[in-house]
Amino acid sequence: MQRIIIDTDPGQDDAVAILLALASPEIEVLGVTCVAGNVPLARTARNARVVLELAGADIPVFAGCDRPITRDLLTAEHVHGPSGLDGADLPEPTLPLQPQHAVDFLIHTLRREPPGTVTLCPLGPLTNIATALRRAPDIAPRIRQIVLMGGAYFEVGNITPAAEFNIHVDPEAAEIVLKSGVDVVMVPLDVTHRVLTTRARIAAIRAIGTRVAGVVADWLAFFERFDETKYGSDGAPLHDPCVIAWLLRPDLFAGRRINVEIETQSPLTRGMTVADWWRVTDRAPNATFLGQVDAEGFYSLLTERLARLRP
Ligand code: RIB
Ligand code: CA
């Protein structure tokens, strides 16, 4: 059993990642912490509860940081729509938001649980994670692993020519996480751009025939339109579910343990993940940076698991 906390900025792809985790008995979701990213915090905190209610899951949801550590918030409504979950009309959530701040939940949970038993799965800007590490450095050795969606190397950037969105929004937070000494696994655009939501793959999800699967197919049909236009591809990269898929089936992925540094100074390359893939520096390895994925295996896993969500 993998016991995880999902830190997220839903976002249709975040939503599918949460559903994949909920559908997988190998995983226990201790809580969902929300961060400002794709859309402002009030919406990500709402959207996370919408997703959990769609799956009939009663898991605590916490609101976290509403802006990056030092910078102004940058959002991505142009990709996800103004609600952040455009594509399907779902009712307002009745699941309450927890009164505790997400950063306090992270700290208290990591101090309470046995060391090395909780994995953090950030799917958005790393503001909550970095704030917890700064406020409570003692939690770093207690974290089993941080498996995050973010960064890019061979694939280059998606929000700027140099940077991937999650890292670009809060590069200082990413730097704190990568210098924390915690065992970090990065799922970058190099991987997520190989798992495109093609027409056939969306049709296979819709063919499951459940309400959840229909909503997922509608979300993906909306979510992909921006990247299809931008890249001229059949389908869009399905970023965040790759994090959960790695937990379930790491054999579907390949990467290498290398040094990754974050650009925080240059306006031109802010948020660039400078991955020493070819080990040309003497900088110490600090992350497992993934570069390959079995796309068919990923979608088979995702589709099979989504079919298990029956409400
Ligand atoms: O660059 C892709 C990442 O940014 C994904 O996590 C997506 O949800 C957005 O947050
Ligand atoms: Ca996200």
Side-chain angles (χ1 to χ4, degrees):
M1 177 67 75
Q2 302 212 43
R3 308 175 75 235
I4 73 172
I5 295 172
I6 297 175
D7 189 73
T8 181
D9 63 335
Q12 293 88 349
D13 61 319
D14 301 68
V16 178
I18 293 168
L19 291 174
L20 178 56
L22 296 175
S24 300
E26 306 93 320
I27 291 175
E28 177 187 4
V29 181
L30 300 178
V32 174
T33 53
C34 302
V35 68
N38 285 321
V39 287
L41 178 66
R43 288 197 178 281
T44 62
R46 170 207 178 265
N47 292 346
R49 289 179 287 146
V50 165
V51 177
L52 290 175
E53 283 197 346
L54 175 67
D58 183 12
I59 289 171
V61 178
F62 304 82
C65 300
D66 64 0
R67 52 165 298 164
I69 287 175
T70 60
R71 298 173 186 263
D72 293 337
L73 177 62
L74 178 71
T75 54
E77 287 89 345
H78 62 290
V79 177
H80 299 273
S83 78
L85 278 186
D86 284 37
D89 288 329
L90 294 170
E92 287 304 304
T94 59
L95 189 68
L97 196 58
Q98 296 299 314
Q100 188 178 33
H101 191 283
V103 171
D104 293 326
F105 171 73
L106 288 163
I107 294 169
H108 295 165
T109 303
L110 287 163
R111 284 178 171 164
R112 182 191 67 229
E113 298 301 322
T117 62
V118 177
T119 298
L120 304 185
C121 297
L123 309 178
L126 290 160
T127 316
N128 286 343
I129 311 301
T131 303
L133 285 165
R134 280 206 311 186
R135 195 182 297 172
D138 61 287
I139 66 172
R142 303 179 70 89
I143 300 169
R144 176 178 177 173
Q145 208 167 35
I146 296 176
V147 187
L148 66 92
M149 192 277 137
Y153 185 59
F154 293 104
E155 187 61 38
V156 297
N158 61 355
I159 193 70
T160 73
E164 178 278 324
F165 178 80
N166 289 340
I167 309 300
H168 180 75
V169 169
D170 199 341
E172 285 73 21
E175 183 175 54
I176 289 167
V177 169
L178 282 167
K179 291 187 172 176
S180 67
V182 178
D183 180 5
V184 173
V185 177
M186 294 183 76
V187 183
L189 299 182
D190 305 61
V191 162
T192 67
H193 278 234
R194 299 167 186 263
V195 290
L196 300 183
T197 59
T198 63
R199 294 283 179 281
R201 288 164 176 166
I202 292 181
I205 290 171
R206 193 178 297 280
I208 294 169
T210 60
R211 176 167 179 261
V212 171
V215 168
V216 168
D218 290 343
W219 277 335
L220 296 185
F222 176 87
F223 166 76
E224 70 177 9
R225 87 222 174 282
F226 178 81
D227 282 341
E228 280 190 324
T229 304
K230 175 178 175 182
Y231 298 111
S233 53
D234 172 11
L238 189 52
H239 307 288
D240 294 337
C242 290
V243 166
I244 306 302
W246 186 85
L247 292 177
L248 295 168
R249 288 282 309 280
D251 59 293
L252 293 175
F253 300 83
R256 56 177 69 170
R257 184 153 175 76
I258 57 172
N259 176 270
V260 180
E261 304 274 341
I262 307 296
E263 174 58 65
T264 60
Q265 304 303 311
S266 156
L268 180 64
T269 55
R270 155 194 165 174
M272 181 176 186
T273 48
V274 183
D276 188 6
W277 184 261
W278 302 112
R279 299 187 177 105
V280 297
T281 75
D282 58 0
R283 293 197 291 261
N286 60 348
T288 298
F289 195 86
L290 301 183
Q292 299 284 339
V293 59
D294 170 355
E296 284 307 312
F298 167 77
Y299 274 97
S300 295
L301 172 69
L302 176 63
T303 307
E304 184 273 321
R305 292 297 165 100
L306 289 175
R308 298 188 188 192
L309 293 171
R310 286 285 159 191

PDB file of all heavy atoms in Angstrom, residues 3-30:
ATOM      1  N   ARG A   3       0.919   5.159   0.559  1.00  0.00           N
ATOM      2  CA  ARG A   3       0.117   6.180   1.216  1.00  0.00           C
ATOM      3  C   ARG A   3       0.596   7.533   0.728  1.00  0.00           C
ATOM      4  O   ARG A   3       1.782   7.863   0.847  1.00  0.00           O
ATOM      5  CB  ARG A   3       0.265   6.019   2.726  1.00  0.00           C
ATOM      6  CG  ARG A   3      -0.028   4.576   3.148  1.00  0.00           C
ATOM      7  CD  ARG A   3       0.232   4.337   4.618  1.00  0.00           C
ATOM      8  NE  ARG A   3      -0.819   4.918   5.449  1.00  0.00           N
ATOM      9  CZ  ARG A   3      -0.588   5.776   6.437  1.00  0.00           C
ATOM     10  NH1 ARG A   3       0.647   6.154   6.687  1.00  0.00           N
ATOM     11  NH2 ARG A   3      -1.581   6.244   7.154  1.00  0.00           N
ATOM     12  N   ILE A   4      -0.328   8.263   0.073  1.00  0.00           N
ATOM     13  CA  ILE A   4       0.094   9.479  -0.617  1.00  0.00           C
ATOM     14  C   ILE A   4      -0.754  10.686  -0.224  1.00  0.00           C
ATOM     15  O   ILE A   4      -1.899  10.535   0.235  1.00  0.00           O
ATOM     16  CB  ILE A   4       0.057   9.315  -2.156  1.00  0.00           C
ATOM     17  CG1 ILE A   4      -1.387   9.291  -2.674  1.00  0.00           C
ATOM     18  CG2 ILE A   4       0.800   8.058  -2.582  1.00  0.00           C
ATOM     19  CD1 ILE A   4      -1.482   9.330  -4.216  1.00  0.00           C
ATOM     20  N   ILE A   5      -0.179  11.862  -0.419  1.00  0.00           N
ATOM     21  CA  ILE A   5      -0.923  13.127  -0.383  1.00  0.00           C
ATOM     22  C   ILE A   5      -0.788  13.721  -1.776  1.00  0.00           C
ATOM     23  O   ILE A   5       0.334  13.832  -2.293  1.00  0.00           O
ATOM     24  CB  ILE A   5      -0.363  14.101   0.667  1.00  0.00           C
ATOM     25  CG1 ILE A   5      -0.548  13.526   2.081  1.00  0.00           C
ATOM     26  CG2 ILE A   5      -1.050  15.469   0.542  1.00  0.00           C
ATOM     27  CD1 ILE A   5       0.151  14.333   3.163  1.00  0.00           C
ATOM     28  N   ILE A   6      -1.930  14.029  -2.403  1.00  0.00           N
ATOM     29  CA  ILE A   6      -1.925  14.649  -3.723  1.00  0.00           C
ATOM     30  C   ILE A   6      -2.033  16.161  -3.545  1.00  0.00           C
ATOM     31  O   ILE A   6      -2.974  16.646  -2.901  1.00  0.00           O
ATOM     32  CB  ILE A   6      -3.088  14.128  -4.586  1.00  0.00           C
ATOM     33  CG1 ILE A   6      -2.951  12.620  -4.834  1.00  0.00           C
ATOM     34  CG2 ILE A   6      -3.151  14.890  -5.911  1.00  0.00           C
ATOM     35  CD1 ILE A   6      -4.131  12.001  -5.586  1.00  0.00           C
ATOM     36  N   ASP A   7      -1.037  16.881  -4.074  1.00  0.00           N
ATOM     37  CA  ASP A   7      -1.052  18.352  -4.039  1.00  0.00           C
ATOM     38  C   ASP A   7      -1.355  18.830  -5.458  1.00  0.00           C
ATOM     39  O   ASP A   7      -0.643  18.464  -6.395  1.00  0.00           O
ATOM     40  CB  ASP A   7       0.310  18.888  -3.559  1.00  0.00           C
ATOM     41  CG  ASP A   7       0.275  20.385  -3.286  1.00  0.00           C
ATOM     42  OD1 ASP A   7      -0.320  20.766  -2.267  1.00  0.00           O
ATOM     43  OD2 ASP A   7       0.805  21.157  -4.112  1.00  0.00           O
ATOM     44  N   THR A   8      -2.398  19.618  -5.623  1.00  0.00           N
ATOM     45  CA  THR A   8      -2.972  19.726  -6.967  1.00  0.00           C
ATOM     46  C   THR A   8      -3.598  21.086  -7.269  1.00  0.00           C
ATOM     47  O   THR A   8      -3.991  21.825  -6.372  1.00  0.00           O
ATOM     48  CB  THR A   8      -4.027  18.612  -7.135  1.00  0.00           C
ATOM     49  OG1 THR A   8      -4.600  18.646  -8.426  1.00  0.00           O
ATOM     50  CG2 THR A   8      -5.117  18.728  -6.084  1.00  0.00           C
ATOM     51  N   ASP A   9      -3.686  21.364  -8.601  1.00  0.00           N
ATOM     52  CA  ASP A   9      -4.338  22.610  -9.062  1.00  0.00           C
ATOM     53  C   ASP A   9      -5.351  22.278 -10.163  1.00  0.00           C
ATOM     54  O   ASP A   9      -5.237  22.737 -11.305  1.00  0.00           O
ATOM     55  CB  ASP A   9      -3.289  23.609  -9.576  1.00  0.00           C
ATOM     56  CG  ASP A   9      -2.517  23.107 -10.791  1.00  0.00           C
ATOM     57  OD1 ASP A   9      -2.419  21.869 -10.983  1.00  0.00           O
ATOM     58  OD2 ASP A   9      -2.025  23.957 -11.573  1.00  0.00           O
ATOM     59  N   PRO A  10      -6.368  21.480  -9.867  1.00  0.00           N
ATOM     60  CA  PRO A  10      -7.289  20.984 -10.904  1.00  0.00           C
ATOM     61  C   PRO A  10      -7.950  22.144 -11.679  1.00  0.00           C
ATOM     62  O   PRO A  10      -8.492  23.061 -11.077  1.00  0.00           O
ATOM     63  CB  PRO A  10      -8.357  20.226 -10.120  1.00  0.00           C
ATOM     64  CG  PRO A  10      -7.864  20.084  -8.747  1.00  0.00           C
ATOM     65  CD  PRO A  10      -6.834  21.124  -8.524  1.00  0.00           C
ATOM     66  N   GLY A  11      -7.934  21.924 -12.921  1.00  0.00           N
ATOM     67  CA  GLY A  11      -7.213  21.235 -13.988  1.00  0.00           C
ATOM     68  C   GLY A  11      -7.760  19.845 -14.305  1.00  0.00           C
ATOM     69  O   GLY A  11      -7.841  18.989 -13.428  1.00  0.00           O
ATOM     70  N   GLN A  12      -8.175  19.697 -15.596  1.00  0.00           N
ATOM     71  CA  GLN A  12      -8.723  18.437 -16.060  1.00  0.00           C
ATOM     72  C   GLN A  12      -7.721  17.290 -15.908  1.00  0.00           C
ATOM     73  O   GLN A  12      -8.099  16.186 -15.498  1.00  0.00           O
ATOM     74  CB  GLN A  12      -9.170  18.532 -17.534  1.00  0.00           C
ATOM     75  CG  GLN A  12     -10.354  19.461 -17.797  1.00  0.00           C
ATOM     76  CD  GLN A  12      -9.966  20.889 -18.042  1.00  0.00           C
ATOM     77  OE1 GLN A  12      -8.797  21.273 -17.820  1.00  0.00           O
ATOM     78  NE2 GLN A  12     -10.909  21.728 -18.487  1.00  0.00           N
ATOM     79  N   ASP A  13      -6.461  17.541 -16.214  1.00  0.00           N
ATOM     80  CA  ASP A  13      -5.490  16.440 -16.112  1.00  0.00           C
ATOM     81  C   ASP A  13      -5.228  16.059 -14.666  1.00  0.00           C
ATOM     82  O   ASP A  13      -5.077  14.876 -14.332  1.00  0.00           O
ATOM     83  CB  ASP A  13      -4.195  16.741 -16.882  1.00  0.00           C
ATOM     84  CG  ASP A  13      -3.451  17.964 -16.379  1.00  0.00           C
ATOM     85  OD1 ASP A  13      -4.091  18.979 -16.069  1.00  0.00           O
ATOM     86  OD2 ASP A  13      -2.210  17.898 -16.275  1.00  0.00           O
ATOM     87  N   ASP A  14      -5.227  17.076 -13.771  1.00  0.00           N
ATOM     88  CA  ASP A  14      -5.150  16.774 -12.338  1.00  0.00           C
ATOM     89  C   ASP A  14      -6.319  15.894 -11.919  1.00  0.00           C
ATOM     90  O   ASP A  14      -6.157  14.921 -11.173  1.00  0.00           O
ATOM     91  CB  ASP A  14      -5.226  18.057 -11.506  1.00  0.00           C
ATOM     92  CG  ASP A  14      -4.143  19.075 -11.798  1.00  0.00           C
ATOM     93  OD1 ASP A  14      -4.152  19.655 -12.900  1.00  0.00           O
ATOM     94  OD2 ASP A  14      -3.286  19.278 -10.917  1.00  0.00           O
ATOM     95  N   ALA A  15      -7.508  16.234 -12.427  1.00  0.00           N
ATOM     96  CA  ALA A  15      -8.721  15.506 -12.050  1.00  0.00           C
ATOM     97  C   ALA A  15      -8.604  14.043 -12.433  1.00  0.00           C
ATOM     98  O   ALA A  15      -8.950  13.148 -11.649  1.00  0.00           O
ATOM     99  CB  ALA A  15      -9.940  16.143 -12.733  1.00  0.00           C
ATOM    100  N   VAL A  16      -8.072  13.777 -13.608  1.00  0.00           N
ATOM    101  CA  VAL A  16      -7.914  12.380 -14.050  1.00  0.00           C
ATOM    102  C   VAL A  16      -6.876  11.666 -13.193  1.00  0.00           C
ATOM    103  O   VAL A  16      -7.028  10.488 -12.847  1.00  0.00           O
ATOM    104  CB  VAL A  16      -7.548  12.322 -15.545  1.00  0.00           C
ATOM    105  CG1 VAL A  16      -7.339  10.884 -16.012  1.00  0.00           C
ATOM    106  CG2 VAL A  16      -8.646  12.973 -16.390  1.00  0.00           C
ATOM    107  N   ALA A  17      -5.844  12.380 -12.789  1.00  0.00           N
ATOM    108  CA  ALA A  17      -4.831  11.789 -11.895  1.00  0.00           C
ATOM    109  C   ALA A  17      -5.458  11.405 -10.555  1.00  0.00           C
ATOM    110  O   ALA A  17      -5.211  10.311 -10.027  1.00  0.00           O
ATOM    111  CB  ALA A  17      -3.684  12.774 -11.684  1.00  0.00           C
ATOM    112  N   ILE A  18      -6.288  12.273 -10.017  1.00  0.00           N
ATOM    113  CA  ILE A  18      -6.967  11.991  -8.739  1.00  0.00           C
ATOM    114  C   ILE A  18      -7.866  10.774  -8.891  1.00  0.00           C
ATOM    115  O   ILE A  18      -7.844   9.862  -8.051  1.00  0.00           O
ATOM    116  CB  ILE A  18      -7.769  13.224  -8.277  1.00  0.00           C
ATOM    117  CG1 ILE A  18      -6.832  14.385  -7.923  1.00  0.00           C
ATOM    118  CG2 ILE A  18      -8.666  12.869  -7.086  1.00  0.00           C
ATOM    119  CD1 ILE A  18      -7.547  15.736  -7.734  1.00  0.00           C
ATOM    120  N   LEU A  19      -8.601  10.702  -9.991  1.00  0.00           N
ATOM    121  CA  LEU A  19      -9.494   9.555 -10.223  1.00  0.00           C
ATOM    122  C   LEU A  19      -8.694   8.258 -10.360  1.00  0.00           C
ATOM    123  O   LEU A  19      -9.091   7.215  -9.834  1.00  0.00           O
ATOM    124  CB  LEU A  19     -10.345   9.785 -11.471  1.00  0.00           C
ATOM    125  CG  LEU A  19     -11.399  10.884 -11.373  1.00  0.00           C
ATOM    126  CD1 LEU A  19     -12.061  11.102 -12.738  1.00  0.00           C
ATOM    127  CD2 LEU A  19     -12.449  10.561 -10.312  1.00  0.00           C
ATOM    128  N   LEU A  20      -7.545   8.332 -11.030  1.00  0.00           N
ATOM    129  CA  LEU A  20      -6.706   7.132 -11.181  1.00  0.00           C
ATOM    130  C   LEU A  20      -6.236   6.636  -9.814  1.00  0.00           C
ATOM    131  O   LEU A  20      -6.240   5.435  -9.533  1.00  0.00           O
ATOM    132  CB  LEU A  20      -5.512   7.433 -12.089  1.00  0.00           C
ATOM    133  CG  LEU A  20      -4.497   6.295 -12.304  1.00  0.00           C
ATOM    134  CD1 LEU A  20      -5.160   5.032 -12.833  1.00  0.00           C
ATOM    135  CD2 LEU A  20      -3.361   6.758 -13.228  1.00  0.00           C
ATOM    136  N   ALA A  21      -5.879   7.562  -8.956  1.00  0.00           N
ATOM    137  CA  ALA A  21      -5.444   7.179  -7.600  1.00  0.00           C
ATOM    138  C   ALA A  21      -6.602   6.558  -6.822  1.00  0.00           C
ATOM    139  O   ALA A  21      -6.450   5.522  -6.173  1.00  0.00           O
ATOM    140  CB  ALA A  21      -4.897   8.396  -6.863  1.00  0.00           C
ATOM    141  N   LEU A  22      -7.781   7.170  -6.929  1.00  0.00           N
ATOM    142  CA  LEU A  22      -8.957   6.676  -6.194  1.00  0.00           C
ATOM    143  C   LEU A  22      -9.385   5.292  -6.681  1.00  0.00           C
ATOM    144  O   LEU A  22      -9.928   4.496  -5.926  1.00  0.00           O
ATOM    145  CB  LEU A  22     -10.127   7.645  -6.344  1.00  0.00           C
ATOM    146  CG  LEU A  22      -9.935   9.053  -5.757  1.00  0.00           C
ATOM    147  CD1 LEU A  22     -11.143   9.921  -6.091  1.00  0.00           C
ATOM    148  CD2 LEU A  22      -9.702   8.991  -4.251  1.00  0.00           C
ATOM    149  N   ALA A  23      -9.092   5.003  -7.938  1.00  0.00           N
ATOM    150  CA  ALA A  23      -9.520   3.719  -8.532  1.00  0.00           C
ATOM    151  C   ALA A  23      -8.519   2.602  -8.277  1.00  0.00           C
ATOM    152  O   ALA A  23      -8.739   1.461  -8.719  1.00  0.00           O
ATOM    153  CB  ALA A  23      -9.710   3.887 -10.036  1.00  0.00           C
ATOM    154  N   SER A  24      -7.420   2.928  -7.614  1.00  0.00           N
ATOM    155  CA  SER A  24      -6.319   1.965  -7.471  1.00  0.00           C
ATOM    156  C   SER A  24      -6.158   1.518  -6.031  1.00  0.00           C
ATOM    157  O   SER A  24      -5.726   2.301  -5.175  1.00  0.00           O
ATOM    158  CB  SER A  24      -5.024   2.596  -8.000  1.00  0.00           C
ATOM    159  OG  SER A  24      -5.187   2.944  -9.379  1.00  0.00           O
ATOM    160  N   PRO A  25      -6.474   0.251  -5.750  1.00  0.00           N
ATOM    161  CA  PRO A  25      -6.402  -0.243  -4.363  1.00  0.00           C
ATOM    162  C   PRO A  25      -4.992  -0.270  -3.788  1.00  0.00           C
ATOM    163  O   PRO A  25      -4.810  -0.350  -2.587  1.00  0.00           O
ATOM    164  CB  PRO A  25      -6.974  -1.660  -4.469  1.00  0.00           C
ATOM    165  CG  PRO A  25      -6.869  -2.037  -5.899  1.00  0.00           C
ATOM    166  CD  PRO A  25      -6.954  -0.776  -6.698  1.00  0.00           C
ATOM    167  N   GLU A  26      -3.988  -0.159  -4.664  1.00  0.00           N
ATOM    168  CA  GLU A  26      -2.601  -0.111  -4.180  1.00  0.00           C
ATOM    169  C   GLU A  26      -2.280   1.207  -3.474  1.00  0.00           C
ATOM    170  O   GLU A  26      -1.233   1.349  -2.859  1.00  0.00           O
ATOM    171  CB  GLU A  26      -1.622  -0.285  -5.344  1.00  0.00           C
ATOM    172  CG  GLU A  26      -1.826  -1.497  -6.211  1.00  0.00           C
ATOM    173  CD  GLU A  26      -2.707  -1.208  -7.440  1.00  0.00           C
ATOM    174  OE1 GLU A  26      -3.706  -0.455  -7.315  1.00  0.00           O
ATOM    175  OE2 GLU A  26      -2.395  -1.745  -8.517  1.00  0.00           O
ATOM    176  N   ILE A  27      -3.197   2.179  -3.651  1.00  0.00           N
ATOM    177  CA  ILE A  27      -2.910   3.540  -3.173  1.00  0.00           C
ATOM    178  C   ILE A  27      -3.936   3.970  -2.130  1.00  0.00           C
ATOM    179  O   ILE A  27      -5.144   3.775  -2.308  1.00  0.00           O
ATOM    180  CB  ILE A  27      -2.919   4.532  -4.356  1.00  0.00           C
ATOM    181  CG1 ILE A  27      -1.716   4.281  -5.276  1.00  0.00           C
ATOM    182  CG2 ILE A  27      -2.923   5.978  -3.863  1.00  0.00           C
ATOM    183  CD1 ILE A  27      -1.717   5.135  -6.539  1.00  0.00           C
ATOM    184  N   GLU A  28      -3.437   4.554  -1.031  1.00  0.00           N
ATOM    185  CA  GLU A  28      -4.322   5.194  -0.041  1.00  0.00           C
ATOM    186  C   GLU A  28      -4.058   6.690  -0.096  1.00  0.00           C
ATOM    187  O   GLU A  28      -2.923   7.138   0.123  1.00  0.00           O
ATOM    188  CB  GLU A  28      -4.026   4.676   1.369  1.00  0.00           C
ATOM    189  CG  GLU A  28      -4.874   5.362   2.438  1.00  0.00           C
ATOM    190  CD  GLU A  28      -4.459   4.982   3.857  1.00  0.00           C
ATOM    191  OE1 GLU A  28      -3.460   4.247   4.020  1.00  0.00           O
ATOM    192  OE2 GLU A  28      -5.133   5.452   4.809  1.00  0.00           O
ATOM    193  N   VAL A  29      -5.081   7.457  -0.433  1.00  0.00           N
ATOM    194  CA  VAL A  29      -4.946   8.919  -0.499  1.00  0.00           C
ATOM    195  C   VAL A  29      -5.284   9.487   0.879  1.00  0.00           C
ATOM    196  O   VAL A  29      -6.441   9.464   1.305  1.00  0.00           O
ATOM    197  CB  VAL A  29      -5.853   9.528  -1.583  1.00  0.00           C
ATOM    198  CG1 VAL A  29      -5.663  11.055  -1.641  1.00  0.00           C
ATOM    199  CG2 VAL A  29      -5.560   8.915  -2.961  1.00  0.00           C
ATOM    200  N   LEU A  30      -4.267   9.998   1.575  1.00  0.00           N
ATOM    201  CA  LEU A  30      -4.483  10.512   2.937  1.00  0.00           C
ATOM    202  C   LEU A  30      -5.176  11.877   2.916  1.00  0.00           C
ATOM    203  O   LEU A  30      -5.860  12.257   3.873  1.00  0.00           O
ATOM    204  CB  LEU A  30      -3.135  10.639   3.652  1.00  0.00           C
ATOM    205  CG  LEU A  30      -2.312   9.360   3.811  1.00  0.00           C
ATOM    206  CD1 LEU A  30      -0.985   9.668   4.496  1.00  0.00           C
ATOM    207  CD2 LEU A  30      -3.099   8.305   4.574  1.00  0.00           C
TER     208      LEU A  30
END
